[in-house]
Amino acid sequence: MVKIKIDGIEYEVDEKKNLISAAKDAGVDIPFFCYHPKLSVVGMCRMCLIEIEGIPRLQVACNTKVTEGLSIVTKSDRVKEAREGTMEFLLANHPLDCPVCDKAGECQLQDNSFKEGKGNSRFTLEKRNIPQEEIGSNLIINHNRCIVCYRCVRFEEEMVGESNLGLFERGYHSIIGLAKEEPINHNYQGALADICPVGALLNNKTLFKSRVWWYKSEESVCTGCSTGCKTYTNVRDNKMFRYMPRIDEEKDQYFLCDKGRFDVDWLNTNRLFSFYKNGETSISSTVLDEISEKISKSKKIAVIGGAHESDQNLKSIKESLSKLGVAVVTEARVSSEQYKEPEQVDFLYTTDKRPNTKGAVEAGFISAEGIDSIRSAASKGEFDLIFVIKEKASEILAGVPSESIVILETNLTEDATKAKYSVPIKAYSEQSGSFTNKKGWSQNFNKSMEAPKGLSSSAEIFSLLEKKTLELRSNLREAAVGNR
């Protein structure tokens, strides 16, 4: 830590951080466009101009090293005038189309224009007009809104490891465009739209779907893989519209991949809301009573899956299973990727497609035998009942008779209609809890959607089965005593 002065006030800041981030930690916001804590510094936008004591010219804060005794001024008339000039140049050709721009409400250009710009424009000539283009499988670019901050180009080269975008022409004619003939097709097109500080880069999947101020947002965690990226959920009318990255500088989390970001349809459509018996809709009392009766007569049962469930649900399920008085085998690891350290597909996405494998291992929701041994035992009929929690039973238990299978699912799948019993459960977004990611970080998520009335979590289902099973056994014992 070092001591620096900002606008005459002394602060103690982290010398390893960029001056913009260090000042933010001290409660002082320095406006910027091109700077990003995970990207190289280029100083292209000139928005972060400041005065440094002992240096006659204004300097860019993003390229100023934090050192002991540094003294800067961020609010002088000279700095204010420089920022107003920068904003005037940036807005010279920028269209005034905020009412139809998807970035409105979370646009840095809007924010900096209100805080640092002038209230009027001296630009009277016709603004340039370049048609927008589709430059990716889920990405469009509006050249007229682009302020040439170069963030997108740096992000691709430095984080994704590809060079699909480049800066073409000079001065007034400068544009960001495709550097290759093929459109962008990587896993971070959503991140490109995020990292753009204006509405120049946008995703087709979310285009014109909703205004950002209509969303109800909660802190959450991405369920797409074991990385466990922190997110904000954006919900409107109890439907999940999108995920946005929740920045955590301490844990180096800034971005989301597309596979996790756009995986929202399963929360909004084709949900399983009815109990099923033999492929036909049934009622909860019938299904749960029959399952409880089977448990009471069972010698050995298996519970497969659980790596999609929260740490709290897994702990509760384990407690319920321990009270059943039946030999129970649990195994959350149903794929080969879960039995080893996850490998990186790219800089965020991993080979383990489940958010809580690590949490399941730590909770003891695993077996010594492994899934192959359990599958073999199941095919031999060694289990009286097999519960499958949000996994593909047809793949895991191929050849095992459906008479012994109970599916716990959030969605109406083909497996749910073929199993002996199917039980609807809440999605993670309809609960609060935590997932433990591949690094062992326990990360909380908040409830962001309302579950349909009467829908239970997986933990609540097993708790109910425990209660019904114990009551049934108690009644049988009382009846046996009464018959003596």
Side-chain angles (χ1 to χ4, degrees):
M1 302 293 282
V2 296
K3 292 181 179 179
I4 66 172
K5 280 188 177 181
I6 304 177
D7 299 322
I9 302 174
E10 190 173 80
Y11 299 94
E12 192 173 52
V13 299
D14 186 349
E15 74 274 16
K16 296 178 182 178
K17 288 193 173 184
N18 184 281
L19 179 57
I20 292 177
S21 293
K24 186 177 180 180
D25 290 344
V28 179
D29 285 327
I30 299 175
F32 61 88
F33 287 113
C34 67
Y35 167 73
H36 191 281
K38 284 295 288 182
L39 303 180
S40 59
V41 172
V42 290
M44 291 182 70
C45 70
R46 321 307 289 180
M47 192 67 212
C48 63
L49 290 170
I50 55 169
E51 287 188 79
I52 301 178
E53 188 178 297
I55 300 178
R57 293 185 179 180
L58 296 179
Q59 302 294 313
V60 287
C62 64
N63 203 29
T64 300
K65 187 173 177 59
V66 176
T67 56
E68 181 71 40
L70 176 70
S71 179
I72 67 171
V73 178
T74 68
K75 298 176 182 177
S76 67
D77 291 340
R78 189 179 173 204
V79 169
K80 182 180 178 183
E81 183 182 10
R83 290 176 183 171
E84 285 181 351
T86 298
M87 284 303 308
E88 192 168 17
F89 276 119
L90 291 176
L91 292 171
N93 272 305
H94 195 92
L96 300 178
D97 60 352
C98 299
V100 296
C101 179
D102 263 36
K103 199 77 170 184
E106 51 189 12
C107 173
Q108 282 181 249
L109 192 68
Q110 283 183 326
D111 295 340
N112 287 337
S113 180
F114 277 109
K115 293 177 182 177
E116 312 293 344
K118 291 183 177 180
N120 63 301
S121 172
R122 294 181 292 175
F123 194 82
T124 58
L125 301 176
E126 185 177 342
K127 295 177 184 286
R128 72 175 187 174
N129 187 12
I130 304 172
Q132 71 178 25
E133 298 178 82
E134 288 197 18
I135 60 172
S137 56
N138 179 33
L139 193 68
I140 61 174
I141 184 167
N142 186 313
H143 294 291
N144 302 317
R145 296 173 185 161
C146 180
I147 61 171
V148 196
C149 70
Y150 217 59
R151 268 185 169 190
C152 54
V153 179
R154 286 179 287 150
F155 173 76
E156 276 209 317
E157 292 179 349
E158 297 169 17
M159 302 304 299
V160 183
E162 296 187 16
S163 297
N164 296 296
L165 296 171
L167 178 61
F168 301 94
E169 305 297 339
R170 294 184 179 182
Y172 174 86
H173 301 286
S174 294
I175 64 168
I176 298 288
L178 278 175
K180 300 178 179 179
E181 292 184 2
E182 301 81 16
I184 297 171
N185 196 36
H186 58 59
N187 193 24
Y188 292 91
Q189 296 177 59
L192 280 172
D194 277 350
I195 208 168
C196 179
V198 296
L201 290 174
L202 298 169
N203 297 121
N204 281 316
K205 288 185 178 179
T206 54
L207 196 63
F208 303 137
K209 292 291 177 66
S210 179
R211 284 301 193 184
V212 298
W213 50 84
W214 291 339
Y215 291 133
K216 172 190 171 187
S217 295
E218 292 289 347
E219 293 185 353
S220 191
V221 179
C222 178
T223 61
C225 78
S226 61
T227 299
C229 297
K230 290 186 175 181
T231 66
Y232 287 107
T233 55
N234 285 171
V235 174
R236 179 184 169 197
D237 298 331
N238 209 38
K239 289 187 180 294
M240 188 71 72
F241 273 70
R242 64 176 188 174
Y243 302 118
M244 295 296 283
R246 180 159 54 101
I247 294 173
D248 186 341
E249 291 190 18
E250 297 301 320
K251 292 185 175 179
D252 200 33
Q253 293 185 326
Y254 295 90
F255 308 110
L256 280 178
C257 77
D258 289 355
K259 292 185 184 297
R261 176 191 299 270
F262 297 114
D263 186 26
V264 298
D265 290 342
W266 69 277
L267 291 168
N268 303 325
T269 59
N270 197 39
R271 289 293 300 276
L272 179 64
F273 294 133
S274 299
F275 285 75
Y276 273 69
K277 176 185 174 182
N278 296 324
E280 301 290 335
T281 56
S282 184
I283 57 176
S284 60
S285 58
T286 299
V287 171
L288 295 178
D289 285 348
E290 289 188 17
I291 294 174
S292 299
E293 187 176 352
K294 284 180 176 289
I295 293 174
S296 68
K297 297 176 181 178
S298 297
K299 293 181 179 179
K300 191 175 185 181
I301 65 175
V303 180
I304 296 174
H308 292 282
E309 297 300 304
S310 68
D311 296 322
Q312 292 73 21
N313 279 353
L314 293 175
K315 181 181 177 181
S316 177
I317 292 170
K318 283 282 287 184
E319 290 177 354
S320 295
L321 292 173
S322 67
K323 298 174 184 177
L324 292 178
V326 179
V328 180
V329 176
T330 58
E331 184 54 82
R333 300 166 301 177
V334 300
S335 68
S336 59
E337 292 83 7
Q338 292 177 280
Y339 285 86
K340 56 186 178 181
E341 285 298 313
E343 298 174 4
Q344 294 297 138
V345 177
D346 50 46
F347 79 95
L348 284 183
Y349 195 54
T350 71
T351 51
D352 183 3
K353 309 300 189 295
R354 294 155 184 84
N356 206 26
T357 298
K358 188 82 168 180
V361 172
E362 291 182 355
F365 215 85
I366 56 174
S367 65
E369 299 85 1
I371 191 62
D372 290 337
S373 178
I374 293 173
R375 183 186 296 113
S376 176
S379 63
K380 296 174 185 176
E382 294 182 15
F383 297 108
D384 300 297
L385 269 180
I386 305 172
F387 293 88
V388 181
I389 308 175
K390 200 164 172 54
E391 296 288 356
K392 294 183 178 180
S394 56
E395 294 180 4
I396 302 166
L397 300 172
V400 177
S402 62
E403 288 298 307
S404 61
I405 296 176
V406 180
I407 300 287
L408 278 75
E409 251 294 353
T410 57
N411 292 76
L412 181 57
T413 63
E414 187 176 353
D415 286 345
T417 61
K418 290 184 177 180
K420 177 66 176 180
Y421 302 107
S422 293
V423 178
I425 57 173
K426 292 178 181 177
Y428 85 98
S429 58
E430 295 159 348
Q431 311 169 64
S432 294
S434 65
F435 293 129
T436 303
N437 79 343
K438 62 178 184 178
K439 293 183 178 180
W441 299 340
S442 179
Q443 302 185 122
N444 295 329
F445 59 88
N446 297 331
K447 176 182 174 182
S448 53
M449 299 174 71
E450 292 297 327
K453 191 174 181 180
L455 200 63
S456 302
S457 68
S458 58
E460 290 167 338
I461 291 296
F462 277 99
S463 179
L464 193 57
L465 289 174
E466 172 210 333
K467 182 180 178 181
K468 284 179 174 289
T469 302
L470 295 180
E471 285 179 354
L472 183 61
R473 283 185 179 151
S474 176
N475 293 337
L476 289 174
R477 281 195 298 269
E478 289 177 1
V481 171
N483 291 332
R484 288 178 182 175

